[in-house]
Amino acid sequence: MNLNIERGLTRHEAAEFLTDAGFPIARTTLAKFATIGGGPRFKKFGSRPIYLPTELLQWAQDRTTKPRNSTSDVGGGND
């Protein structure tokens, strides 16, 4: 049976996935964001948060600025 469903990641796996994709983040930071807001969207399976890879990448890309030439360059994107 091929359901073609995106595999959900645990918080630990989500942190590793983002770090491997070039967006270094700690599991504890994801946990903090889950409490205070501002982090990637997640679902819950019982008491466990489940993150989808596409949601993680979209969240990380939305937080990333456009290329800059220096720290004083506004880069035309998110600051």
Side-chain angles (χ1 to χ4, degrees):
M1 180 188 332
N2 184 4
L3 298 177
N4 198 20
I5 296 175
E6 186 175 23
R7 180 182 175 278
L9 304 176
T10 65
R11 187 168 285 147
H12 178 78
E13 291 171 327
E16 285 184 349
F17 174 81
L18 284 171
T19 299
D20 290 346
F23 303 101
I25 193 165
R27 175 192 54 80
T28 54
T29 303
L30 289 176
K32 178 181 175 184
F33 281 141
T35 302
I36 66 170
R41 292 170 22 136
F42 62 93
K43 296 180 179 184
K44 292 203 65 173
F45 180 71
S47 63
R48 295 177 183 251
I50 302 295
Y51 296 85
L52 297 178
T54 53
E55 296 270 346
L56 291 168
L57 287 176
Q58 186 62 55
W59 173 78
Q61 290 167 350
D62 288 347
R63 293 175 49 97
T64 304
T65 66
K66 294 186 181 197
R68 298 175 179 209
N69 293 319
S70 71
T71 56
S72 62
D73 181 4
V74 293
N78 298 333
D79 289 324

